[in-house]
Amino acid sequence: MSPNKYAIIVAGGSGSRMQSQLPKQFIELEGLPILFHTLLRFKQADPSIQLILVLPKAHQAYWQSLCQKHEAVAQQVSHWLVDGGHTRFQSSQNGLARIEGDGLVSIHDGVRPFVEATVIQNSYQTAKELGSAVASVPSKDSVRVNGVAVDRATVRLIQTPQTFQVSILKKAFETEELSTFTDDASVVEAAGFPIHLIDGSYENIKITTPEDLLFAKMLLGNRQ
């Protein structure tokens, strides 16, 4: 029997770096808010995935109005709605608390709407076999740390989805939050579990700035 699959979509952006009063996850791409594009990616990759959307409480009424406006799409991406926390750690923790029993859970940024189905599917399969699967890509640029050049071939840029066996992730999130927790993989690694990297995609961008939005519109146009 296949394990239950969950996806926690974390969308707590404010829009400040986007220079927009509208939180970036609600900005429209081709007439549809970014967040809908992201949710659709997971359902299209595997309809059995159960979606958990983590949103700040202050944004939930607006989201509900968007679901009414885009009712046909909203029905395709039915989801549990969970309150966001003050930090990414707390938001992931709140989403994880919604899951009962074991299975596989992927955590993904709400503003990464171009994640490919193959990446999602590979993340669940790898996590099933190895316990974790973290999407990443090689660095295209030369890299220096504190001014010192490092071998670019050893550098991977981390993305989401980050997928884990539920039991591993719940155990990891029993720990106290630290400032060094920059993503969910760092929480799992700090708890002593190994992290397994998988190939992501350079198109799997995180939309945080106006330049990202321009690139996103180009990507969407190419795909259509």
Side-chain angles (χ1 to χ4, degrees):
M1 176 183 282
S2 257
N4 290 330
K5 295 177 184 174
Y6 305 90
I8 298 172
I9 309 299
V10 182
S14 64
S16 57
R17 279 183 290 177
M18 188 62 75
Q19 301 167 26
S20 167
Q21 292 185 342
L22 185 67
K24 56 197 174 187
Q25 59 267 24
F26 301 140
I27 293 173
E28 290 192 354
L29 282 177
E30 297 295 322
L32 195 64
I34 288 170
L35 191 48
F36 275 120
H37 288 282
T38 304
L39 293 167
L40 281 167
R41 290 283 171 190
F42 279 81
K43 277 297 185 182
Q44 290 166 352
D46 186 340
S48 74
I49 294 172
Q50 300 176 62
L51 299 174
I52 301 168
L53 176 58
V54 183
L55 272 180
K57 204 162 189 177
H59 295 172
Q60 291 180 14
Y62 184 69
W63 173 247
Q64 297 287 12
S65 72
L66 289 176
C67 287
Q68 291 176 356
K69 179 181 177 181
H70 303 279
E71 185 178 3
V73 179
Q75 288 176 352
Q76 297 178 54
V77 294
S78 61
H79 53 274
W80 293 315
L81 190 58
V82 173
D83 293 347
H86 294 297
T87 63
R88 172 58 178 264
F89 178 93
Q90 292 170 15
S91 291
S92 294
Q93 201 170 44
N94 290 353
L96 190 58
R98 187 64 180 79
I99 299 173
E100 296 179 0
D102 207 356
L104 303 169
V105 55
S106 184
I107 304 185
H108 187 68
D109 297 319
V111 288
R112 287 189 191 267
F114 298 110
V115 59
E116 296 173 350
T118 52
V119 174
I120 294 170
Q121 292 158 358
N122 186 29
S123 74
Y124 283 105
Q125 185 59 37
T126 302
K128 178 183 177 181
E129 296 170 0
L130 302 177
S132 67
V134 176
S136 65
V137 292
S139 174
K140 293 181 179 180
D141 299 316
S142 296
V143 179
R144 287 179 176 264
V145 177
N146 295 327
V148 179
V150 298
D151 183 0
R152 182 173 61 189
T154 66
V155 176
R156 301 283 293 190
L157 306 180
I158 302 303
Q159 302 179 331
T160 64
Q162 299 183 0
T163 307
F164 310 91
Q165 293 174 9
V166 170
S167 57
I168 288 175
L169 196 61
K170 284 196 170 186
K171 181 67 177 176
F173 269 88
E174 290 174 0
T175 189
E176 183 179 348
E177 182 176 1
L178 300 175
S179 60
T180 52
F181 293 159
T182 56
D183 62 1
D184 304 288
S186 59
V187 180
V188 171
E189 191 170 41
F193 296 102
I195 295 301
H196 302 278
L197 301 182
I198 62 170
D199 288 333
S201 166
Y202 289 112
E203 291 189 1
N204 183 22
I205 62 169
K206 186 177 183 181
I207 302 175
T208 57
T209 66
E211 294 79 15
D212 296 331
L213 192 58
L214 288 173
F215 186 38
K217 289 177 179 177
M218 184 192 73
L219 284 174
L220 193 58
N222 289 343
R223 291 189 175 194
Q224 291 178 340

